[in-house]
Amino acid sequence: MSSHEQHARASAPEGHEPATHAHAHEHHGHSRPASSDHASSGHGEHASSGHAGHRDHAGEFRRLFWGMLVLAVPTVLASGMFAMIVGYELPDVAWLPWVSPVLGTAMFIVGGRPFLVGAVQELRARRPGMMLLIGLAITVAFVASWAASLGIADHELDFWWELALLIAIMLLGHWLEMRSLAQTSSALDSLAALLPDEAERVVAGGTERVAPSDLAVGDVVLVRPGGRVPADGRVVDGEASVDESMITGESRPVRRARGDRVVAGTVATDSSLRVEVDATGDDTALAGIRRLVADAQASSTRAQRLADRAAGWLFWFALVAAVVTAIAWTAAGMPDDAVVRAVTVLVIACPHALGLAIPLVVSIATERAARGGVLVADRLALETMRRVDVVLFDKTGTLTAGEPAVVDVLVAPGGAAPDARRLLALAAAAESESEHPLARAIVRRAEADGIAVPAASGFASSPAVGVTALVDGARVRVGGPHLLAEEGLADEGAAELDGVAPWKDAGAIVLHVLVDGAVGGALRLADEIRPESREAVEALHALGIEVAMVTGDAEAVARQVAGELGIDRVAAGVRPEHKEHEVARLQDEGRTVAFVGDGVNDAPALARADVGLAIGAGTDVAIAAAGVVLASSDPRSVLGVVELSRRSARTMVQNLWWAAGYNLLSVPLAAGVLAPVGFVLPMSVGALLMSASTIVVALNAQLLRRLDLDPARTAARIVGRPATADDRLPAAAGTEAPAAAGTEDEER
C-alpha cells in the first residue's frame, strides 16, 4: 500500500474506511489484484465500494471543512494575537479571551482528529509521513496556545488563530485531494451507467421486463432502437447500426446483423435487435473493462514509490530542520521565537503536494486512457511505454484485418463472364449458402461493390474442392486447385489467365470460377492490410521508434507486407508459441520492446515484452494477457499510449519538482534564515503557501485531460499533417493493399 493510500485510510472519518482489493484474479497465469465489486452484475451495484469510498471521503472532508471554517472565523477574530497583528482592538468583555481557546479546542479535537489518527498509525507502522507532520504541528500549536492562555507561557505563544487556520487549510487540501481522486474514478461510474436499468427478455407470447442481473446465458433479449444492450451476446434477429464508442473509443457506428456479437452497454441506434445472451455479470466485456481500470488505479509504479520514499525523507528533513531551528533560536536568546519557527518549519515541510504529485497524475492518465479506448491494466506498462524504442507487431489481426477478403478479380478472355462485376455476381451467388470464410469474403465483396447477386439453386459443397450451384441456368463452380483437377483442367486451365502466377508466388489464395465447365476467371483472396497500419508505422517512425513485425507467413509474403508498410525488421515463419523468442532477441540487443498482438495466442510474447499491448480485444478484455488493452482494432491506438506515457512522465516530473522544490525553498525561510535582514515567514502564510502548492500540483495534473487520444488525430498530429474527416472513414472494399494469406490463412 502506498503512503497516499495509507493517508486516505488514516484520514477517513469513522465508518468510511476505504475498500481494498481483497482477492486476486488470474489472466493466463498472471495474477493481479482485482475487486469483485468493480464489475457488478446488477445496475444497482454499479458503483464499486473503492471508488464510492473516494466520494464518501470527499463529502466528509467537505462537510468537516465548512464546519471548521465556521468555527475558525470567530476563533481567529477573537484572538488577541491576531488583533494585535492586524491592528484592531477587542471589546473589554470578560468571556471574550476564552472564545478562541474553547473554539480552538473544539477544532483541534474534531477537525484535527483525522490528522492525529493518521499520525498515530504512521508511528505504529514506523513509516513517518505527512500525517505525522500535520499532527505534530497542530499538537505543538495547541499545547503552546493553552500554555499562553493559562499564563504559563509568554502571550506571544498564543497560536489559536494559526491553529484554526492550519486545520481549516489542511482540511481544504484534503477535500480537494479526495475530490480529485473521486473525479479520476468517474470513468468507472460512466461505464457502470452504460447498463440499462431494465432489459426486455423475450418469452412465450411477448416480452417481460427484468433487471440485467436476472438475465441468464441463453436468454433472448429485445433491444429497441435507441436502447442499450443489457448483456453480451449474438444477434439472432434484426440488423442495426450499433454505437460502440463507449467500448472501443471509435465514434462511427458499426453495422451488426444476424450472427454478429454485441457488447453490453452499446446502443442500437436505428433498428431493433434480438440478442441471445452468452455472457452476464462479471463475464461481460464491460465488467472486464471496469476491472482493468480499477486494477490500474490500484497498482503502483516506480515513480509513485519514489514519491512515497521522498515523503518519508522529507519527514526526517523537517524534523531535523525543526530541531536545529529551535536550538538556533534558543541559543540566540529567543526561546519563544524558537517554538514559533519550529512549528512553522513543520507546517511548511508537510508533504501534501508531494504525496499528490504522482498518484493523481497516474489516476487521471488511467481514466483519460479508458475514455479513449485504451485500457491500462498495469500502471508500470504505461510508465515504461515512454522508453520503448521498438514496437513489434504481430501481423495477422493487428496490421492486417485477420480475415480473408477479395482483393483482385481476373476475368478470362472470351469467358462466360464479360467483366469483373458479372464474375463476382456468379461467384457470390454460388457461395451464398456457404458458411466458409472464403465464401463469406466473396459475398461481402459483391455486397460492398453494390452488385446484384442472382438467385442460386442446387447448392452443393465438396470439402477441399469447392461449391457448385445453378445460377441463371448455368452450372457455376468455385474452388481451388482440386476443383480444376476434378474438372480435368488441372492448373493448365488457368495458365492462360495472365496474372494468376504472380498471385501464387506471393502466397495469395486463388479461387477459380468455372461456368459450365470452362474457366470464367479467378479471384485473389488475402488478409488485407488495414489502411490505418501505414499511418501507424509512419507516425512511430516520426516518434523515433523502430517498427518490427513477426508472422507465421513465408519470408516472401512477410517481405511484401513489410515493404508495403515501411516496416524496418521482419521475422517470418515464426510459430505463435515462438513469438516470445523474437521479443527476447530484441531485448538481448538492449532494446525496450513493446509487443502488439491480438491477445489470443500471443500471451507469452505479451508477457515477455517490456510493454504488452493486446489490440482489438474489445470483447475479450476480461481475459487480456497484457499491460495495456486497446479496445479498438486500429493500430494507431498504440500512438496514443506513447503520447500519454510521455505526457504523464513530464507532468510527474513537473509536479515532483514543484512539490519538492517548494519545500526545499520554504523550509529555510520558515526556519528564519533571513531573520537577520528582518524577514520571517509567518506560520499562517506558510500554511497558505503549502496548500497553494497542493492546488498547483492538482491543476497541473488536470491538464492531462486535454490530451486527445483519437487514433486518427493523434497520427495526424505526430506526422505533422492536418486531420481530415476521412480519417475516421473505412476504405472502400477492395482498395486496401492485400497482405498475402500465407500459412496463417485458411485455404479451401
Side-chain angles (χ1 to χ4, degrees):
M1 182 183 299
S2 69
S3 64
H4 173 73
E5 293 168 317
Q6 287 180 328
H7 297 157
R9 177 182 298 277
S11 59
E14 188 173 359
H16 292 278
E17 179 112 353
T20 56
H21 299 292
H23 65 283
H25 64 265
E26 296 183 359
H27 301 276
H28 296 286
H30 301 282
S31 299
R32 63 173 177 249
S35 172
S36 60
D37 291 338
H38 287 315
S40 60
S41 59
H43 187 62
E45 301 174 28
H46 289 161
S48 67
S49 60
H51 301 285
H54 283 313
R55 288 191 299 276
D56 291 343
H57 297 159
E60 289 291 337
F61 276 110
R62 182 186 68 250
R63 289 187 289 271
L64 198 54
F65 164 71
W66 286 114
M68 292 303 100
L69 185 62
V70 169
L71 294 181
V73 171
T75 301
V76 172
L77 294 179
S79 170
M81 183 61 66
F82 182 79
M84 184 179 66
I85 294 173
V86 175
Y88 65 89
E89 292 187 4
L90 293 174
D92 187 11
V93 181
W95 52 265
L96 189 59
W98 297 104
V99 170
S100 291
V102 171
L103 296 182
T105 300
M107 291 189 66
F108 177 76
I109 295 174
V110 179
R113 183 181 181 279
F115 309 112
L116 297 173
V117 171
V120 171
Q121 291 183 351
E122 288 185 350
L123 279 175
R124 288 176 177 173
R126 296 182 180 180
R127 296 185 62 181
M130 177 183 65
M131 290 299 178
L132 187 56
L133 284 174
I134 298 175
L136 184 59
I138 63 176
T139 300
V140 170
F142 176 74
V143 172
S145 297
W146 263 116
S149 297
L150 296 174
I152 301 174
D154 190 280
H155 73 282
E156 291 185 2
L157 293 181
D158 179 356
F159 294 148
W160 290 120
W161 69 278
E162 292 182 323
L163 173 66
L165 286 179
L166 177 59
I167 291 176
I169 291 170
M170 289 290 106
L171 289 174
L172 173 62
H174 265 59
W175 171 29
L176 293 176
E177 178 180 349
M178 291 300 169
R179 188 176 68 173
S180 297
L181 289 174
Q183 289 173 347
T184 63
S185 302
S186 62
L188 294 175
D189 302 326
S190 299
L191 288 171
L194 293 178
L195 285 180
D197 293 317
E198 291 182 319
E200 286 192 70
R201 180 165 54 193
V202 178
V203 295
T207 62
E208 63 176 356
R209 294 187 176 275
V210 297
S213 58
D214 293 334
L215 294 174
V217 174
D219 285 346
V220 176
V221 295
L222 174 64
V223 183
R224 299 184 184 276
R228 294 188 181 275
V229 179
D232 291 4
R234 291 192 179 276
V235 178
V236 294
D237 188 27
E239 182 176 351
S241 292
V242 179
D243 180 4
E244 300 179 346
S245 59
M246 64 290 298
I247 302 295
T248 65
E250 296 177 346
S251 62
R252 189 176 180 85
V254 180
R255 201 69 183 170
R256 297 298 185 197
R258 182 182 178 88
D260 291 335
R261 293 206 79 244
V262 290
V263 177
T266 55
V267 180
T269 60
D270 55 358
S271 302
S272 296
L273 293 174
R274 286 180 183 247
V275 178
E276 182 179 352
V277 176
D278 62 12
T280 61
D282 290 354
D283 297 326
T284 63
L286 190 62
I289 292 173
R290 298 186 71 222
R291 276 196 295 271
L292 287 175
V293 178
D295 292 350
Q297 291 186 344
S299 62
S300 183
T301 66
R302 293 191 187 98
Q304 184 172 329
R305 291 192 292 270
L306 176 60
D308 292 341
R309 288 197 301 270
W313 297 335
L314 186 58
F315 166 79
W316 295 111
F317 169 68
L319 187 61
V320 171
V323 171
V324 171
T325 298
I327 293 174
W329 282 84
T330 301
M334 293 176 283
D336 292 344
D337 288 337
V339 176
V340 175
R341 292 299 96 208
V343 171
T344 305
V345 164
L346 293 174
V347 173
I348 290 296
C350 172
H352 204 266
L354 189 62
L356 189 62
I358 300 302
L360 188 57
V361 171
V362 178
S363 294
I364 291 177
T366 302
E367 177 264 349
R368 182 67 191 87
R371 291 184 183 276
V374 177
L375 311 173
V376 182
D378 181 5
R379 287 183 177 183
L380 185 57
L382 179 62
E383 183 179 310
T384 304
M385 194 67 191
R386 67 185 175 88
R387 297 187 286 106
V388 164
D389 54 14
V390 58
V391 175
L392 177 62
F393 284 95
D394 176 42
K395 180 184 80 70
T396 304
T398 303
L399 295 174
T400 64
E403 59 183 12
V406 177
V407 295
D408 208 349
V409 180
L410 196 59
V411 179
D419 55 32
R421 291 180 64 85
R422 178 59 179 169
L423 186 70
L424 266 176
L426 292 173
E431 297 278 18
S432 59
E433 295 187 30
S434 174
E435 292 297 322
H436 195 282
L438 300 182
R440 291 198 297 268
I442 294 171
V443 174
R444 278 199 308 270
R445 173 62 187 271
E447 293 175 347
D449 287 358
I451 297 174
V453 179
S457 60
F459 173 82
S461 176
S462 177
V465 176
V467 300
T468 304
L470 290 177
V471 182
D472 291 342
R475 180 171 177 264
V476 179
R477 303 194 73 184
V478 183
H482 295 296
L483 175 65
L484 295 178
E486 186 176 281
E487 289 284 340
L489 299 173
D491 287 333
E492 289 76 10
E496 62 194 47
L497 299 182
D498 295 335
V500 169
W503 291 356
K504 293 182 177 180
D505 293 340
I509 298 174
V510 179
L511 296 182
H512 306 286
V513 181
L514 277 59
V515 182
D516 290 332
V519 176
L523 307 177
R524 178 188 180 189
L525 292 92
D527 186 8
E528 289 178 310
I529 293 177
R530 297 182 186 275
E532 304 89 355
S533 297
R534 296 181 184 85
E535 287 189 28
V537 173
E538 181 185 2
L540 286 170
H541 284 157
L543 291 172
I545 298 174
E546 185 177 336
V547 182
M549 183 182 75
V550 60
T551 178
D553 288 349
E555 184 77 20
V557 176
R559 292 293 175 188
Q560 179 187 354
V561 177
E564 180 73 26
L565 295 178
I567 291 174
D568 305 301
R569 301 173 63 158
V570 177
V574 179
R575 295 181 61 84
E577 61 269 24
H578 295 155
K579 291 176 183 177
E580 66 169 318
H581 298 164
E582 300 303 319
V583 175
R585 183 175 292 113
L586 290 169
Q587 290 173 328
D588 290 342
E589 296 176 8
R591 314 297 293 274
T592 303
V593 183
F595 179 80
V596 186
D598 58 16
V600 177
N601 56 11
D602 297 327
L606 290 167
R608 164 75 73 167
D610 298 284
V611 180
L613 300 100
I615 193 169
T619 56
D620 296 310
V621 290
I623 58 170
V628 178
V629 178
L630 307 177
S632 166
S633 296
D634 191 336
R636 295 176 300 186
S637 298
V638 176
L639 304 172
V641 183
V642 177
E643 288 272 274
L644 184 62
S645 178
R646 294 182 177 183
R647 184 74 64 86
S648 298
R650 284 201 301 270
T651 304
M652 289 179 188
V653 171
Q654 291 167 358
N655 281 359
L656 287 173
W657 272 110
W658 176 264
Y662 158 81
N663 282 282
L664 293 176
L665 290 175
S666 299
V667 166
L669 294 177
V673 295
L674 297 182
V677 296
F679 177 80
V680 289
L681 187 67
M683 178 179 175
S684 56
V685 174
L688 286 170
L689 290 177
M690 183 273 301
S691 291
S693 172
T694 300
I695 294 172
V696 168
V697 165
L699 292 177
N700 189 42
Q702 296 292 332
L703 294 178
L704 277 175
R705 297 185 187 277
R706 300 171 57 184
L707 181 61
D708 186 359
L709 296 181
D710 176 80
R713 290 193 291 270
T714 301
R717 183 172 64 248
I718 292 172
V719 299
R721 68 166 177 80
T724 66
D726 293 336
D727 280 330
R728 282 190 175 273
L729 301 179
T735 60
E736 296 88 343
T743 59
E744 293 188 0
D745 285 313
E746 182 176 3
E747 295 191 11
R748 179 183 294 177

